[in-house]
């Protein structure tokens, strides 16, 4: 709610292709389709899972997991529990 708009960062791959875990994977998949990438080298993703997509529902004190990914419900809860003790984390229904 602080941003006033949804925030999203898509995976750097063509839809239907495996998620990249290194900059070289992005270059191979997206060559000629993007201007460049920022490659963090050895700190690249080691998980290879899709991004976790959430919706913050401040009015109802809920975090809704729209798409499960590398960040689990338990990880989210662990990070926010001190400040938001009574928040509920749920999975979106299909």
């Amino acid at each position: 709610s602080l941003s006033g708009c949804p925030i999203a960062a898509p995976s750097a791959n063509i839809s239907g292709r495996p998620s990249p875990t290194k900059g070289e994977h992005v270059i191979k998949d997206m060559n000629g389709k993007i201007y460049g990438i920022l490659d963090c080298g050895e700190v690249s993703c080691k998980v290879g899972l899709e991004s976790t997509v959430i919706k913050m529902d401040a009015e109802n004190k809920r975090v809704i997991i729209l798409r499960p990914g590398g960040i689990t419900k338990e990880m989210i809860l662990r990070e926010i529990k001190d400040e938001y003790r009574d928040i509920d984390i749920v999975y979106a229904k299909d």
Side-chain angles (χ1 to χ4, degrees):
S1 66
L2 292 176
S3 71
C5 65
I7 299 174
S11 300
N13 63 315
I14 296 173
S15 182
R17 303 262 315 194
S19 294
T21 57
K22 296 182 179 181
E24 62 194 66
H25 300 154
V26 176
I27 292 169
K28 184 177 178 182
D29 199 32
M30 303 296 284
N31 191 22
K33 297 175 179 66
I34 59 174
Y35 292 106
I37 65 166
L38 295 175
D39 187 353
C40 297
E42 293 301 314
V43 296
S44 296
C45 175
K46 293 174 177 46
V47 180
L49 291 176
E50 301 303 324
S51 302
T52 301
V53 178
I54 65 170
K55 174 182 178 183
M56 299 295 293
D57 181 356
E59 185 176 321
N60 294 306
K61 292 188 175 182
R62 293 190 316 167
V63 173
I64 303 165
I65 299 175
L66 302 173
R67 183 178 74 185
I71 298 175
T72 66
K73 176 180 176 178
E74 292 75 20
M75 293 165 79
I76 296 168
L77 189 58
R78 187 169 55 240
E79 292 299 318
I80 66 172
K81 70 178 179 179
D82 290 338
E83 191 169 346
Y84 303 100
R85 294 175 196 270
D86 59 344
I87 199 160
D88 189 22
I89 300 177
V90 298
Y91 290 95
K93 296 182 175 151
D94 293 327

